[in-house]
Amino acid sequence: MELSATSLRDKLQRDLEADHVEVEDTTLNRCAASFRVLVVSAKFEGKPLLQRHRLVNECLAEELPHIHAFEQKTLTPEQWARERQK
């Protein structure tokens, strides 16, 4: 299984029909063991934070057992637009 920022980004983009995805490998030596993600998707509309995170976790169910640290931020397109205006 390929674990990289690119592979995670592609999968999140495709499976969550995301408008925007950022994935950063936060491991010191970039060995793909720790990631920080930002996912913007209309699929998050009307869902509380826990349900949004569950959607991301379900999407990456095969990859998460191989990741040691995973930080995620999930926004709707409207929230993303407001955040970018700050």
Side-chain angles (χ1 to χ4, degrees), residues 1 5 9 12 17-18 22 34 53 59 67-69 71 75 80:
M1 167 184 303
R9 183 178 56 247
L12 289 165
E17 300 169 15
E22 295 176 13
S34 176
H53 285 197
C59 176
I67 297 172
H68 298 289
E71 177 185 340
L75 300 172
W80 174 239

Side-chain angles (χ1 to χ4, degrees), residues 73-84:
K73 184 172 188 176
T74 52
L75 300 172
T76 65
E78 182 181 324
Q79 290 170 322
W80 174 239
R82 278 196 313 262
E83 193 163 294
R84 289 174 50 198

Side-chain angles (χ1 to χ4, degrees), residues 5-78:
T6 302
S7 66
L8 295 180
R9 183 178 56 247
D10 291 347
K11 188 169 187 180
L12 289 165
Q13 187 97 40
R14 181 184 64 246
D15 293 359
L16 295 177
E17 300 169 15
D19 296 343
H20 181 80
V21 178
E22 295 176 13
V23 180
E24 179 185 358
D25 183 346
T26 56
T27 314
L28 283 177
N29 59 358
R30 303 290 185 245
C31 67
S34 176
F35 293 94
R36 177 181 302 126
V37 302
L38 165 66
V39 183
V40 179
S41 174
K43 286 190 170 192
F44 299 146
E45 296 283 351
K47 291 184 174 47
L49 185 63
L50 185 58
Q51 286 182 347
R52 294 175 183 195
H53 285 197
R54 284 183 179 152
L55 285 172
V56 171
N57 291 348
E58 288 169 8
C59 176
L60 300 178
E62 292 178 20
E63 292 83 0
L64 286 176
H66 306 283
I67 297 172
H68 298 289
F70 187 74
E71 177 185 340
Q72 60 179 294
K73 184 172 188 176
T74 52
L75 300 172
T76 65
E78 182 181 324

